[in-house]
Structures are given as C-alpha cells and as structure tokens.
Amino acid sequence: MSLPGSEMQGYHSDGDHMDPLFQLPPHCLNVFVPLCDVTSQMGPTEFVPGSHINYITTNRSQAPCLSQGQPLLFDHRTKHRGTPNKSNKHRALLYITYAKLWFIEANNLGIGKNYNVLPELPTADSRDARLHKRMQAKSLQKVIPKKSSPKGNMTNPKKQEEANGEEANPNIEKEASK
C-alpha cells in the first residue's frame, strides 16, 4: 500500500536470475491487482522493460496507470519501483506471486522459505454432465405443479374483490381517502 505522501522507492527486482551465465525462462511471475483506480498522482509502479533479461538495460521506464481490478503481470526479475504518492488517497493493490514448485524464495520471505502450495481445485463437471443436470431439472419442473398464490392473501380490498370476481365497492375507496 502506498500512503499519501509516500516517497520514490529505489529500483529493485523481487528476485534474481537463477543462473548468472544463462537466460532461463521465468521461474516466478508477479501479479498486481489494484484495489482502486491508480492515477499518475497516486504513485503507480514504474517498470523498466527488458530488465528481466538485462538488469543494466538503458530502456526507458514506464509507469502504467491502471483501473481498479485491471491485473498487471510481470517477471519476478523485472526492475521496478514505487513512485511518489502525491494524492490524498491510499494506493492499495493485491500482490500475487506464482512460482515454480522447486523455487525457494530468499529475498522477500526470508532465506530457505518457499511459497505455500495451493490445494488442487475440484474438477468441474463436463459440458455433457451439466446439460444432463439441466434436462433433469426441467423434467422435474413439468412433474411438480407450480404453486399459485391464494386469493385471500391480498391486503388491498379493491384488488381482493377483483380477484374474487366481485366488483369493487366504491364506499371502501371513499373511506380510505378520508
């Protein structure tokens, strides 16, 4: 969270290369999900494109402004920093890291710790199974009659008489308007 009045952070990456001699595929991806609209005044995170390959790159930095809920994914090794929050609002975001199972985090969680492994998600029914359930529900609707509302449940006397097939009593309306 970046509070109003927060200052510029120094450039950093959330993790290093796994091998200093070879460029390997990403082992971690970070996801920012802003919990509010992030404007240039609120201190958006500034990224240096290409720094996940060459940290000393001279590429020009970019600080994207994001809408609430708009995710931004970046390589864990990308050079970035928070910019000053010159607004009077908090800049809150959800920060998620996806990592390969073998990865052990040394920079952000403490040496020798790794991320919690999430449990397996239950598998969804197949399309055919869902269709079968809908067909069963429809066939049950045909067998079970719909409940009709009882005539004596109405509170408006005029509507009650009309529901019973009687004409409305004009005296009731006059008494109600007095």
Side-chain angles (χ1 to χ4, degrees):
M1 174 162 331
S2 174
L3 302 175
S6 294
E7 297 180 6
M8 179 82 76
Q9 292 180 351
Y11 276 118
H12 64 278
S13 67
D14 291 336
D16 299 323
H17 287 271
M18 298 306 296
D19 188 313
L21 301 176
F22 299 101
Q23 173 63 32
L24 299 174
H27 53 281
C28 287
L29 289 176
N30 295 340
V31 182
F32 283 176
V33 182
L35 303 178
C36 59
D37 289 341
V38 177
T39 65
S40 59
Q41 288 293 308
M42 295 176 78
T45 303
E46 185 176 65
F47 298 90
V48 179
S51 61
H52 64 292
I53 296 170
N54 178 8
Y55 194 79
I56 307 171
T57 183
T58 57
N59 290 344
R60 194 171 170 178
S61 65
Q62 299 175 3
C65 295
L66 303 170
S67 299
Q68 179 180 356
Q70 179 184 6
L72 184 140
L73 284 75
F74 64 98
D75 190 303
H76 194 64
R77 303 167 290 186
T78 302
K79 186 190 304 188
H80 63 283
R81 67 180 174 183
T83 60
N85 185 346
K86 299 175 186 172
S87 75
N88 60 357
K89 298 177 182 175
H90 292 61
R91 177 179 56 85
L93 57 87
L94 178 63
Y95 186 101
I96 304 167
T97 300
Y98 293 95
K100 301 244 182 185
L101 287 176
W102 51 260
F103 176 66
I104 295 177
E105 173 63 75
N107 293 338
N108 300 305
L109 297 176
I111 295 176
K113 294 185 179 177
N114 60 350
Y115 294 96
N116 293 333
V117 177
L118 296 175
E120 290 264 337
L121 295 174
T123 56
D125 289 339
S126 69
R127 186 169 192 248
D128 288 338
R130 291 190 313 267
L131 177 63
H132 182 72
K133 284 181 183 177
R134 282 195 298 273
M135 298 300 283
Q136 283 182 324
K138 283 185 179 181
S139 65
L140 284 175
Q141 287 176 351
K142 291 177 183 176
V143 175
I144 301 170
K146 291 183 180 179
K147 293 183 180 178
S148 58
S149 60
K151 292 181 179 179
N153 239 0
M154 296 185 187
T155 55
N156 184 332
K158 183 175 181 179
K159 287 186 179 179
Q160 174 68 45
E161 290 170 351
E162 289 171 357
N164 292 335
E166 303 167 4
E167 286 190 33
N169 184 345
N171 293 331
I172 292 175
E173 285 182 13
K174 288 179 187 173
E175 289 174 14
S177 64
K178 287 183 184 179

